[in-house]
mmCIF file of all heavy atoms in Angstrom:
data_model
loop_
_atom_site.group_PDB
_atom_site.id
_atom_site.type_symbol
_atom_site.label_atom_id
_atom_site.label_comp_id
_atom_site.label_asym_id
_atom_site.label_seq_id
_atom_site.Cartn_x
_atom_site.Cartn_y
_atom_site.Cartn_z
ATOM 1 N N GLY B 163 21.102 -59.889 45.800
ATOM 2 C CA GLY B 163 21.009 -60.146 47.226
ATOM 3 C C GLY B 163 19.660 -60.668 47.673
ATOM 4 O O GLY B 163 19.263 -60.462 48.801
ATOM 5 N N ARG B 164 18.967 -61.384 46.777
ATOM 6 C CA ARG B 164 17.636 -61.853 47.124
ATOM 7 C C ARG B 164 17.648 -62.883 48.237
ATOM 8 O O ARG B 164 16.729 -62.980 49.017
ATOM 9 C CB ARG B 164 16.960 -62.465 45.883
ATOM 10 C CG ARG B 164 16.403 -61.419 44.981
ATOM 11 C CD ARG B 164 16.138 -61.983 43.616
ATOM 12 N NE ARG B 164 15.240 -63.134 43.679
ATOM 13 C CZ ARG B 164 14.365 -63.404 42.744
ATOM 14 N NH1 ARG B 164 14.209 -62.593 41.732
ATOM 15 N NH2 ARG B 164 13.625 -64.477 42.825
ATOM 16 N N ALA B 165 18.706 -63.693 48.246
ATOM 17 C CA ALA B 165 18.719 -64.787 49.205
ATOM 18 C C ALA B 165 19.361 -64.390 50.529
ATOM 19 O O ALA B 165 19.506 -65.205 51.417
ATOM 20 C CB ALA B 165 19.449 -65.983 48.612
ATOM 21 N N GLY B 166 19.786 -63.134 50.657
ATOM 22 C CA GLY B 166 20.402 -62.703 51.896
ATOM 23 C C GLY B 166 21.859 -63.098 51.958
ATOM 24 O O GLY B 166 22.384 -63.773 51.091
ATOM 25 N N THR B 167 22.551 -62.648 53.001
ATOM 26 C CA THR B 167 23.971 -62.908 53.135
ATOM 27 C C THR B 167 24.196 -64.105 54.043
ATOM 28 O O THR B 167 23.558 -64.247 55.069
ATOM 29 C CB THR B 167 24.673 -61.676 53.717
ATOM 30 O OG1 THR B 167 24.403 -60.566 52.862
ATOM 31 C CG2 THR B 167 26.159 -61.885 53.827
ATOM 32 N N GLU B 168 25.117 -64.988 53.603
ATOM 33 C CA GLU B 168 25.466 -66.148 54.417
ATOM 34 C C GLU B 168 26.974 -66.203 54.536
ATOM 35 O O GLU B 168 27.693 -65.587 53.742
ATOM 36 C CB GLU B 168 24.991 -67.444 53.732
ATOM 37 C CG GLU B 168 23.495 -67.520 53.547
ATOM 38 C CD GLU B 168 23.108 -68.721 52.705
ATOM 39 O OE1 GLU B 168 24.013 -69.443 52.266
ATOM 40 O OE2 GLU B 168 21.913 -68.907 52.492
ATOM 41 N N LEU B 169 27.448 -66.957 55.512
ATOM 42 C CA LEU B 169 28.882 -67.170 55.639
ATOM 43 C C LEU B 169 29.243 -68.485 54.975
ATOM 44 O O LEU B 169 28.590 -69.500 55.177
ATOM 45 C CB LEU B 169 29.288 -67.210 57.113
ATOM 46 C CG LEU B 169 29.444 -65.853 57.813
ATOM 47 C CD1 LEU B 169 29.891 -66.077 59.249
ATOM 48 C CD2 LEU B 169 30.433 -64.957 57.094
ATOM 49 N N SER B 170 30.307 -68.449 54.115
ATOM 50 C CA SER B 170 30.734 -69.685 53.456
ATOM 51 C C SER B 170 31.594 -70.498 54.418
ATOM 52 O O SER B 170 31.879 -70.071 55.536
ATOM 53 C CB SER B 170 31.544 -69.342 52.203
ATOM 54 O OG SER B 170 32.757 -68.755 52.589
ATOM 55 N N GLU B 171 32.039 -71.692 53.934
ATOM 56 C CA GLU B 171 32.887 -72.549 54.772
ATOM 57 C C GLU B 171 34.192 -71.847 55.121
ATOM 58 O O GLU B 171 34.790 -72.118 56.152
ATOM 59 C CB GLU B 171 33.186 -73.846 54.020
ATOM 60 C CG GLU B 171 31.956 -74.721 53.858
ATOM 61 C CD GLU B 171 32.213 -75.890 52.925
ATOM 62 O OE1 GLU B 171 33.328 -75.999 52.404
ATOM 63 O OE2 GLU B 171 31.284 -76.685 52.738
ATOM 64 N N THR B 172 34.640 -70.949 54.236
ATOM 65 C CA THR B 172 35.907 -70.260 54.492
ATOM 66 C C THR B 172 35.709 -69.010 55.340
ATOM 67 O O THR B 172 36.664 -68.294 55.610
ATOM 68 C CB THR B 172 36.568 -69.857 53.163
ATOM 69 O OG1 THR B 172 35.613 -69.095 52.415
ATOM 70 C CG2 THR B 172 36.989 -71.061 52.363
ATOM 71 N N GLY B 173 34.497 -68.728 55.742
ATOM 72 C CA GLY B 173 34.240 -67.579 56.589
ATOM 73 C C GLY B 173 33.951 -66.303 55.823
ATOM 74 O O GLY B 173 33.659 -65.271 56.417
ATOM 75 N N LEU B 174 34.047 -66.354 54.453
ATOM 76 C CA LEU B 174 33.751 -65.172 53.650
ATOM 77 C C LEU B 174 32.242 -65.033 53.506
ATOM 78 O O LEU B 174 31.526 -66.030 53.403
ATOM 79 C CB LEU B 174 34.378 -65.305 52.252
ATOM 80 C CG LEU B 174 35.900 -65.241 52.196
ATOM 81 C CD1 LEU B 174 36.388 -65.625 50.807
ATOM 82 C CD2 LEU B 174 36.364 -63.833 52.527
ATOM 83 N N SER B 175 31.751 -63.793 53.500
ATOM 84 C CA SER B 175 30.309 -63.604 53.357
ATOM 85 C C SER B 175 29.907 -63.832 51.900
ATOM 86 O O SER B 175 30.612 -63.436 50.977
ATOM 87 C CB SER B 175 29.911 -62.204 53.797
ATOM 88 O OG SER B 175 30.404 -61.264 52.887
ATOM 89 N N GLU B 176 28.801 -64.516 51.703
ATOM 90 C CA GLU B 176 28.322 -64.825 50.361
ATOM 91 C C GLU B 176 26.898 -64.325 50.221
ATOM 92 O O GLU B 176 26.073 -64.539 51.100
ATOM 93 C CB GLU B 176 28.376 -66.330 50.100
ATOM 94 C CG GLU B 176 29.791 -66.870 50.003
ATOM 95 C CD GLU B 176 29.848 -68.275 49.455
ATOM 96 O OE1 GLU B 176 28.778 -68.903 49.310
ATOM 97 O OE2 GLU B 176 30.950 -68.748 49.188
#
Side-chain angles (χ1 to χ4, degrees):
Chain B
R164 280 163 57 146
T167 303
E168 298 172 358
L169 280 182
S170 68
E171 291 171 359
T172 54
L174 291 170
S175 69
E176 291 192 351

